[in-house]
């Protein structure tokens, strides 16, 4: 395995920091903290560069808040300056790791994503059932409290397999350990999304190369394995749980990891996936209904609601819930628009 050295100068270069700033700004251009940083952009980038060059850079404490949508999540985000550093690191090191990721690791990767994963599931369903002519099964699994339980020391050991640049490793270590407690990573940071793939790439290799599972798809800590034998999936489930415990200090979620007949529909990535159609899961419908109610009561402003609706509408179009989507549109109170 190739080890990459001498990365630090590329990460902290003014050119890379300016590119990282543009990436961190994307979708946030109207935010006050972005505008404040831009008031003295050249100076702020130069100071950040000097801090990184002198290795005097230290990330600020994370800002934590609770998000209910409707699932309750604890989000911890870095300040804008630190997010620029995250983009600077990922922009340089991600390509080295990405080329080692399996094809069906689908989250937070260029050219992949939710729709890619759903289409791969359709392909695998047809293959494992010999074009829907025989019964087959799915191990639908979820890793218990993944972001809270991830072991940072193990993560650093995995990163060291690819990166030999000590200055880069020290910078990554600063970011990884800029979080309360002795384990886990914050939800809400770019680096967390990237490192989540790096960490579970170990699981991907075990499933694909040790267990030799052909029909396996992973999206962050959710994954599915398809097979014609329920007995085989039961054995693999036990072996995967053992691998996670012994090698990554994780475990499968006991309530969310089970084996289901494909004909009954598989809950994956917010949809109920059947052979010939796809339906939105109830929690996603409840979520957008609550946002419509908030907007109608003027608890959400127009710009925020349009952002939410645009994202949800684009997502919902991947389903076959046509009548539902039109029904929800009719519930939006146009009088709430100024």
């Amino acid at each position: 395995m190739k080890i990459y050295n001498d990365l630090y100068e590329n990460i902290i270069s003014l050119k890379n920091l300016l590119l990282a700033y543009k990436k961190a700004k994307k979708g946030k251009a109207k935010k006050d903290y972005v505008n404040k940083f831009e008031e003295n952009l050249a100076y702020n980038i130069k100071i950040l560069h000097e801090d990184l060059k002198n290795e005097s850079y230290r990330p600020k404490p994370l800002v934590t808040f609770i998000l209910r949508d409707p699932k309750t999540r604890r989000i911890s985000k870095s300040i804008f300056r630190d997010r620029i550093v995250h983009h600077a690191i990922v922009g340089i090191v991600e390509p080295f790791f990405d080329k080692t990721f399996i094809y069906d690791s689908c989250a937070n990767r260029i050219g992949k994503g939710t729709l890619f994963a759903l289409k791969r599931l359709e392909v695998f369903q047809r293959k494992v059932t010999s074009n829907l002519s025989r019964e087959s099964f799915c191990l639908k699994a979820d890793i218990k409290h993944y972001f809270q339980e991830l072991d940072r020391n193990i993560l650093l050991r995995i990163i060291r397999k690819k990166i030999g640049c000590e200055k880069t490793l020290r910078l990554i270590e600063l970011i990884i350990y800029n979080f309360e407690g002795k384990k886990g990573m914050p939800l809400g940071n770019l680096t967390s999304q990237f490192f989540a793939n790096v960490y579970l790439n170990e699981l991907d290799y075990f499933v694909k190369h040790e267990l030799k599972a052909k029909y396996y798809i992973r999206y962050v800590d959710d994954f599915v394995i398809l097979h014609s034998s329920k007995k085989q999936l039961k054995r693999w489930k036990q072996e995967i749980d053992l691998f996670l415990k012994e090698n990554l200090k994780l475990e499968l979620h006991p309530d969310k990891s089970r084996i289901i007949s494909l004909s009954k529909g598989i809950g994956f990535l917010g949809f109920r996936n059947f052979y010939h159609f796809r339906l939105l899961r109830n929690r996603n419908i409840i979520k957008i209904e609550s946002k419509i109610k908030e907007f109608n009561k003027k608890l959400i402003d127009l710009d925020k609601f349009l952002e939410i609706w645009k994202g949800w509408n684009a997502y919902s179009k991947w389903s076959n819930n046509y009548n539902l989507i039109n029904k929800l549109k009719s519930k939006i109170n146009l009088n709430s628009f100024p």
Side-chain angles (χ1 to χ4, degrees):
M1 182 183 288
K2 184 175 181 180
I3 296 178
Y4 293 88
N5 295 289
D6 304 320
L7 300 175
Y8 196 68
E9 292 305 316
N10 290 333
I11 290 170
I12 71 167
S13 71
L14 289 170
K15 181 180 178 180
N16 190 50
L17 289 176
L18 190 58
L19 178 61
Y21 147 75
K22 290 177 180 177
K23 289 179 179 177
K25 174 187 172 181
K26 190 173 181 180
K28 306 287 190 298
K30 294 182 180 179
K31 297 290 187 181
D32 290 341
Y33 57 77
V34 175
N35 294 329
K36 187 174 181 180
F37 191 89
E38 284 182 328
E39 287 175 4
N40 294 292
L41 178 60
Y43 174 78
N44 287 329
I45 292 291
K46 186 175 184 297
I47 293 298
L48 179 57
H49 168 73
E50 291 297 324
D51 285 349
L52 289 164
K53 183 178 180 180
N54 299 329
E55 293 192 79
S56 59
Y57 165 81
R58 296 294 181 272
K60 296 294 184 183
L62 302 174
V63 177
T64 300
F65 57 94
I66 303 300
L67 186 65
R68 295 179 176 87
D69 63 341
K71 184 179 178 181
T72 301
R73 293 181 295 163
R74 191 166 180 264
I75 308 295
S76 298
K77 299 187 78 169
S78 296
I79 66 167
F80 185 66
R81 185 177 193 256
D82 292 336
R83 279 183 247 167
I84 293 172
V85 176
H86 297 174
H87 278 277
I89 294 169
V90 173
I92 297 299
V93 307
E94 183 178 33
F96 308 138
F97 285 92
D98 191 79
K99 64 179 67 174
T100 69
F101 293 163
I102 66 167
Y103 186 76
D104 291 305
S105 168
C106 300
N108 308 307
R109 297 179 66 195
I110 295 171
K112 303 294 172 77
T114 305
L115 184 56
F116 176 89
L118 293 170
K119 287 182 175 179
R120 290 294 284 171
L121 178 60
E122 287 180 358
V123 170
F124 288 172
Q125 282 178 324
R126 292 193 173 276
K127 286 185 175 181
V128 75
T129 59
S130 297
N131 207 23
L132 313 183
S133 66
R134 67 179 182 185
E135 184 179 27
S136 291
F137 303 90
C138 174
L139 167 58
K140 168 68 178 72
D142 180 289
I143 295 173
K144 185 179 179 181
H145 302 153
Y146 175 50
F147 279 91
Q148 296 99 305
E149 296 296 326
L150 179 146
D151 188 287
R152 298 172 197 165
N153 293 326
I154 293 175
L155 174 60
L156 279 171
R157 286 204 298 271
I158 294 169
I159 292 170
R160 282 183 176 274
K161 293 178 184 179
K162 293 293 291 180
I163 297 178
C165 175
E166 288 300 325
K167 286 186 177 181
T168 299
L169 288 166
R170 285 197 290 272
L171 179 58
I172 289 173
E173 189 170 350
L174 278 175
I175 290 166
I176 287 174
Y177 284 95
N178 185 40
F179 188 51
E180 62 187 22
K182 296 181 179 180
K183 57 186 177 180
M185 286 194 306
L187 279 169
N189 283 340
L190 173 71
T191 44
S192 297
Q193 298 169 13
F194 170 61
F195 291 138
N197 274 343
V198 171
Y199 200 78
L200 286 183
N201 192 44
E202 304 291 304
L203 170 65
D204 296 343
Y205 269 67
F206 174 72
V207 173
K208 294 295 291 184
H209 299 291
E210 296 294 326
L211 302 183
K212 300 192 183 302
K214 289 176 67 177
Y215 306 123
Y216 166 75
I217 306 166
R218 181 177 61 80
Y219 195 99
V220 193
D221 58 329
D222 289 340
F223 65 88
V224 292
I225 306 177
L226 279 58
H227 201 278
S228 58
S229 169
K230 195 172 185 178
K231 186 181 291 186
Q232 179 66 76
L233 288 175
K234 284 181 179 179
R235 283 198 295 266
W236 282 349
K237 182 184 176 186
Q238 292 173 348
E239 292 180 73
I240 288 168
D241 204 26
L242 184 62
F243 174 85
L244 288 171
K245 288 173 180 175
E246 291 185 346
N247 295 275
L248 299 177
K249 295 187 179 179
L250 299 170
E251 62 180 299
L252 293 178
H253 197 295
D255 301 324
K256 297 179 181 179
S257 302
R258 54 202 180 99
I259 297 165
I260 312 157
S261 172
L262 286 174
S263 62
K264 294 182 179 179
I266 305 303
F268 188 49
L269 302 182
F271 297 92
R272 193 80 177 160
N273 299 275
F274 296 88
Y275 286 145
H276 300 289
F277 60 95
R278 187 186 299 133
L279 299 177
L280 287 161
R281 298 191 73 175
N282 285 336
R283 68 184 182 201
N284 287 336
I285 298 169
I286 292 169
K287 177 180 175 180
I288 193 62
E289 283 181 329
S290 69
K291 295 301 179 184
I292 291 172
K293 286 177 183 177
E294 288 179 32
F295 173 69
N296 289 341
K297 293 178 181 178
K298 299 187 178 181
L299 299 175
I300 304 177
D301 64 33
L302 175 59
D303 288 343
K304 181 64 176 176
F305 178 74
L306 288 178
E307 180 185 342
I308 293 168
W309 177 259
K310 184 180 178 181
W312 186 87
N313 195 38
Y315 181 77
S316 67
K317 285 179 179 177
W318 300 342
S319 76
N320 299 98
N321 295 85
Y322 309 116
N323 293 333
L324 170 68
I325 295 167
N326 289 328
K327 184 179 178 182
L328 289 171
K329 283 181 181 178
S330 70
K331 289 184 177 181
I332 299 172
N333 183 4
L334 297 179
N335 293 326
S336 296
F337 287 77

